[in-house]
Amino acid sequence: MILVIIYAVAALLLSVVATLPVKEFRGFSGDEKYAIVTIVLGGAWPMICTFFLGPLFLGSPDSILFPGLWYLPACIMVVLIIGRNVNQESCVVDLPVIMLMSLAPISFLGLSGGHLTPSTLMRWGLAVLLLCGVVLKGQPISLAAVACGCRLALLSTAASVVIAILLNSEIVTNCRVDKCGSAGLVLTSTFAGNGNILGLSVVLMLPLAMFGTSWWRAALLIPAVILLGELAGSRTAFIGLGAAGFAFACYRMAPPRLRSVALGVCLLGATVLSLAPAVLVYGDGEFSYRGALWNDAKSMIVDRPIMGHGPVAWEHLNTASLFVANYSPHNAWLDFGVSVGIWGILVLVAAIALKLFLLQGEERAAIMVYFTCVIATSTLESVFVPYFIGIAPFAVIIPMFIGPGRIVIDKEKMTMISNRGRLRATPESQPEGVSG
């Protein structure tokens, strides 16, 4: 237990030094501050609820407050962001986000096929609402602001872990065979089943958190995340951690002219790795029985290849004797194929490709590092789910705050165009001697 406390406190201290003081916060615009708060509430608040507030005050995930309590604060910020941006002179629409949101109707149709319950409807609606926070934008959100939000989310998560361990030692349990760190004990929660969600969350915050700060502060975040990952006993998280660290090192060390090439190779390597479970053949017992999950997922995709079975079809599987189906096939490509089919996969890939195409400079580099981490992690998990509330909803929202990727709707110009159209349509309203 002492080693667990040492790990947690060390992770917190490293996060504090890497994050504070946040001198640039005063220089951020109002829109950027809203984005920062939303990132903290979307990334850290669910972890605070899962390992601290939930076990201490709610006791069981059967509470009617779950999962609304987890994502309601971020959704409130989204509503405020929408109201703020719609009332600005120029309303901005993000095209990649529109593409991602186009999967919502397909996802809903899948729910309507027999899985539409109040719980699934809430999870579908929360996912749609969270995406609405990044589809309409006012002033541009800088990479520095998003990076600041990620660092504050990491700091908040580390602080909540320390408090949870000190106030509720029951969250520290003996290791499972497949979930164990060097501390010999792991964090768990009745709301998560194990600490995997903690490891995945902090790793997904790391890639963008390392930007917009000095190299030594960025370097301090890596051991902080390693320590939290050890407490979580999440082996999959370390795949993403290794990918993020390697890609960030390539960005910092490569000559400026070769940075895009180096990051492209990292992204390609992560993609090839993540596709292995989907395209290769494995025995049912391989990778801690994940082989059985992958094989069943492939059979489901063959049954409905184009549009899939819907986002919760996998949760209702439970037909194999080797495992309980849980929330996904533990591979993103197979999860997409089961949930939204080949069409959904094409839309997801196109949206991410368009996002990268529309970015430039450091913003593009940051998003390439981010998706290298996400795709590598997706080899054994499914974390980027834009059409339903998955294991880490903020993974979709955070990168979409950054960059243009949008069509500008200028209300004044639209009014002028509309007026000209009316003038052309009504010749009698034109001055004498003026032709159409």
Side-chain angles (χ1 to χ4, degrees):
M1 185 66 178
I2 294 177
L3 194 55
V4 169
I5 295 174
I6 291 174
Y7 277 17
V9 172
L12 174 59
L13 293 177
L14 288 167
S15 301
V16 168
V17 176
T19 305
L20 300 178
V22 190
K23 296 179 180 179
E24 68 269 25
F25 193 81
R26 295 178 182 176
F28 290 134
S29 68
D31 287 353
E32 289 175 327
K33 291 177 181 177
Y34 272 69
I36 290 170
V37 174
T38 304
I39 290 169
V40 174
L41 292 177
W45 178 254
M47 295 302 98
I48 294 171
C49 289
T50 299
F51 293 94
F52 175 36
L53 297 180
L56 199 61
F57 296 108
L58 299 179
S60 166
D62 295 332
S63 168
I64 60 173
L65 298 177
F66 177 81
L69 176 62
W70 272 231
Y71 305 108
L72 183 60
C75 287
I76 291 173
M77 286 302 303
V78 164
V79 172
L80 294 176
I81 288 173
I82 294 171
R84 178 185 181 89
N85 292 343
V86 166
N87 289 322
Q88 294 194 27
E89 290 185 1
S90 292
C91 185
V92 177
V93 178
D94 191 291
L95 187 55
V97 178
I98 289 290
M99 295 174 68
L100 293 178
M101 293 186 74
S102 71
L103 297 176
I106 298 175
S107 178
F108 185 80
L109 289 174
L111 294 177
S112 302
H115 301 139
L116 187 59
T117 66
S119 175
T120 57
L121 184 60
M122 176 188 292
R123 292 164 68 189
W124 178 85
L126 287 172
V128 173
L129 182 56
L130 287 172
L131 271 176
C132 287
V134 287
V135 72
L136 294 177
K137 299 177 180 176
Q139 298 299 316
I141 307 299
S142 67
L143 172 60
V146 174
C148 177
C150 290
R151 289 193 293 274
L152 289 173
L154 271 172
L155 174 60
S156 302
T157 301
S160 71
V161 167
V162 172
I163 296 172
I165 292 171
L166 295 177
L167 296 185
N168 184 16
S169 60
E170 292 183 359
I171 70 167
V172 182
T173 63
N174 292 323
C175 291
R176 274 174 33 182
V177 174
D178 61 334
K179 302 286 183 186
C180 196
S182 58
L185 299 169
V186 293
L187 300 184
T188 189
S189 167
T190 53
F191 292 86
N194 55 63
N196 196 40
I197 188 173
L198 172 63
L200 291 174
S201 294
V202 294
V203 163
L204 293 173
M205 295 174 198
L206 177 65
L208 296 180
M210 292 190 293
F211 284 83
T213 188
S214 60
W215 69 267
W216 66 269
R217 288 182 185 268
L220 289 178
L221 291 171
I222 295 176
V225 170
I226 290 174
L227 290 171
L228 291 173
E230 283 290 305
L231 292 177
S234 175
R235 295 179 300 178
T236 305
F238 286 103
I239 298 176
L241 176 63
F246 182 77
F248 185 74
C250 288
Y251 168 73
R252 292 300 299 258
M253 297 173 65
R257 290 182 297 177
L258 297 178
R259 284 176 176 174
S260 294
V261 175
L263 291 177
V265 171
C266 291
L267 195 57
L268 178 61
T271 303
V272 171
L273 176 67
S274 67
L275 281 169
V279 299
L280 299 180
V281 178
Y282 295 93
D284 286 348
E286 296 187 60
F287 292 94
S288 302
Y289 292 102
R290 279 183 171 88
L293 305 180
W294 300 336
N295 292 333
D296 273 38
K298 292 172 187 176
S299 298
M300 293 180 69
I301 293 171
V302 170
D303 289 340
R304 296 188 63 178
I306 306 302
M307 295 297 182
H309 296 262
V312 294
W314 182 261
E315 296 177 11
H316 290 79
L317 180 58
N318 289 327
T319 56
S321 59
L322 291 174
F323 62 90
V324 175
N326 208 332
Y327 65 92
S328 86
H330 285 68
N331 174 266
W333 302 107
L334 293 174
D335 190 25
F336 298 153
V338 169
S339 300
V340 291
I342 295 174
W343 173 251
I345 292 174
L346 293 175
V347 171
L348 280 164
V349 171
I352 294 172
L354 179 61
K355 186 71 178 177
L356 291 173
F357 175 77
L358 293 171
L359 292 171
Q360 294 181 355
E362 191 178 32
E363 289 183 342
R364 177 183 289 174
I367 296 301
M368 291 180 77
V369 172
Y370 179 79
F371 277 111
T372 298
C373 174
V374 168
I375 294 173
T377 304
S378 297
T379 306
L380 299 178
E381 288 290 350
S382 181
V383 294
F384 193 86
V385 183
Y387 46 82
F388 203 66
I389 289 292
I391 192 171
F394 74 91
V396 181
I397 309 304
I398 290 178
M400 296 303 164
F401 272 116
I402 300 173
R406 54 205 182 208
I407 304 168
V408 179
I409 301 175
D410 191 311
K411 296 178 181 178
E412 184 176 342
K413 289 183 179 179
M414 289 298 290
T415 302
M416 293 174 62
I417 292 171
S418 177
N419 289 338
R420 288 174 185 169
R422 284 197 294 270
L423 285 172
R424 291 192 183 100
T426 54
E428 63 273 16
S429 65
Q430 295 178 357
E432 219 178 290
V434 177
S435 63

